[in-house]
Each structure stands twice: as C-alpha cells, then as structure tokens.
Amino acid sequence: MSFKKTFNTLFRHYGPQDWWPGDSPFEIMVGAVLTQNTAWTNVEKAIVNLLENEALDAEVIVATKMEQLALWLKPSGYFNIKAKRLKNFCQWYLEQGAYEQLSTWPTRELRQALLSVNGVGPETADDMLLYAFDRPVFVIDAYTRRLFSRLGLIEGSETYEALRQSIESGLRRESQRLVLFNEYHALIVRHAKEYCKTTPRCEACCLNKKCKAFRC
DNA sequence: ACCCAGGGTCATA
DNA sequence: TATGACCATGGG
C-alpha cells in the first residue's frame, strides 16, 4: 500500500471530482475560511447570502459592518469569529494587490504570507494555494489524517508540516502533481462524505483490500 | 438529546 | 510542544 496506490483506488472508484466547488478564485478562498470545522452544506448557505447581497467581493466585505457580515455568515457557524477572519483576510488580500499580484508570488512565499494572516491556518492556506492559485501542495485535513493512519501509511500524530513533507515526497516522482493533489484531496472528502458518516466509530472504513466495496 | 462537521487561536504548563 | 477551551449552525 502506498499513497499512489490509494489514490488510484479512489480515482478508479469515484472518477474525477472537478474541484473546488466555486466559480472564482476569490469565492474559493472565502469558502476555505468558512468551511473551517464546518459542513459544506452550511457554507453554501452563507455564500448564497453573500451573493444575494452582492457581497462576495473583497472591497464590499471590508466595507461591511461586522454585525451585518456575521448575519450573512450565520448558517456557516462560528459566525462572529468568521466575520472577523473574513474581513481580516480581505483587508490583507486588497493590501497585497488582490489576485493579480498574489498570483505572481512564488509558492513558498505565498504560503508564508497566507499563514501570517490571522484566521488562516495550514489547511486553509493549502486549500487556497491548491484550488485558488493552482499550486501543487497536498492538503491535509482530518479525513486525510484518519484515512492514512487507518491504512497504516502514517502514524497519525505527526505535525501538519511533517505529514505534508512526507506525503509530497512520497508522490515526488509523479508528473502532473497539480492534478494529482487536486483530485486526491477531493477524492478523500468525497469518500468520507459517502462512506464515513458514522466515523469515528467506524473503525474499518478505509481502502483496505478486504474492504472491497469501500464500505464500513 | 447527542454527535459531528473539509480548523484556528489563544491561554496555560 | 502539547493539551484544552472556545467558537456555533444544521443534519444525522
């Protein structure tokens, strides 16, 4: 079993996922903040609220009062904290010259800069790098950690950065790493949504050969 | 009535 | 560096 074989199994089973669900890089970045520890169905409702109020825009968000923004974000949970994080992020985003400027930065520096924004942690930053900026970084979320540790590919308690290095180097020989990383994270989330609804009680939910139909 | 979700920050030891 | 509290809605 390897990271690559696991990917092949998932891809064979589910096919291309066409991620991230969002129509623009900015929408993807907003979604990345809003989905922190939150079900995507709730995030969608918040994004619809922003769209209906013509507020899916960095300048509008910065100009919007905290109470108003929190009201729109309400369905996504943690709405007070997310209102702060979103305004904070948008402020920084505009200061740096928005997407046009940021997209010219080298990946390493862009990542460091994203991480320096309050409210943007490692996974949120990597979501943005991979799905909004098309950079080949491997995103690690709770599902990824759970799946790989059940498969015995990782120990499970590694730091985010250690895991990322280990997984990315495990796939170093792959051409098309951007496409691979894009699909891989999406496939893991798809698999989790489809078969892991009862986790963490479902101990056998994995890609083991014994687990033929991807069942728990 | 619980459990959990595509995390991150901050205070403490 | 490593835990723990906290944030909060909506679906199962």
Side-chain angles (χ1 to χ4, degrees):
Chain A
M1 194 63 70
S2 68
F3 294 125
K4 178 58 178 178
K5 284 184 179 176
T6 302
F7 171 81
N8 288 340
T9 311
L10 283 169
F11 190 80
R12 214 178 306 123
H13 193 76
Y14 295 107
Q17 298 300 301
D18 190 33
W19 260 38
W20 177 293
D23 294 326
S24 68
F26 183 72
E27 181 175 342
I28 291 169
M29 294 188 270
V30 170
V33 171
L34 296 186
T35 199
Q36 291 170 358
N37 203 37
T38 301
W40 181 254
T41 50
N42 287 359
V43 177
E44 284 180 317
K45 293 171 186 170
I47 290 180
V48 166
N49 286 341
L50 293 176
L51 281 171
E52 284 178 345
N53 291 279
E54 298 179 3
L56 193 56
D57 176 283
E59 295 182 11
V60 173
I61 287 173
V62 166
T64 300
K65 289 191 191 304
M66 204 66 83
E67 297 77 23
Q68 175 64 267
L69 188 56
L71 208 58
W72 290 334
L73 300 186
K74 193 157 191 161
S76 75
Y78 305 128
F79 49 83
N80 287 316
I81 230 167
K82 282 176 179 174
K84 278 185 201 165
R85 288 180 182 176
L86 205 51
K87 282 195 75 164
N88 196 30
F89 172 76
C90 288
Q91 175 100 36
W92 171 86
Y93 179 75
L94 292 173
E95 282 170 3
Q96 305 307 318
Y99 190 80
E100 186 178 355
Q101 290 303 314
L102 287 170
S103 62
T104 68
W105 293 27
T107 300
R108 221 168 269 280
E109 295 174 23
L110 184 52
R111 187 166 201 276
Q112 284 311 309
L114 287 168
L115 287 174
S116 75
V117 180
N118 187 291
V120 178
E123 188 192 335
T124 306
D126 287 346
D127 277 335
M128 293 178 177
L129 286 169
L130 178 58
Y131 293 108
F133 291 98
D134 297 316
R135 309 304 174 90
V137 300
F138 191 92
V139 176
I140 294 154
D141 65 344
Y143 293 146
T144 308
R145 205 177 274 274
R146 196 179 300 155
L147 177 64
F148 286 166
S149 91
R150 283 181 186 166
L151 289 171
L153 293 172
I154 63 174
E155 195 280 329
S157 60
E158 297 92 338
T159 66
Y160 188 99
E161 204 52 30
L163 263 188
R164 198 167 71 85
Q165 295 304 326
S166 145
I167 294 171
E168 288 186 4
S169 64
L171 298 165
R172 186 159 310 283
R173 295 189 309 154
E174 298 303 320
S175 56
Q176 305 276 357
R177 294 175 93 210
L178 176 57
V179 178
L180 177 69
F181 291 164
N182 182 318
E183 291 293 339
Y184 210 151
H185 178 60
L187 283 164
I188 289 172
V189 173
R190 169 77 184 276
H191 182 57
K193 282 182 175 167
E194 204 139 324
Y195 291 108
C196 297
K197 290 178 180 173
T198 59
T199 55
R201 285 187 295 278
C202 176
E203 295 300 331
C205 183
C206 65
L207 305 174
N208 254 315
K209 288 180 180 175
K210 294 175 184 173
C211 194
K212 290 178 183 171
F214 288 74
R215 289 176 173 286
C216 299

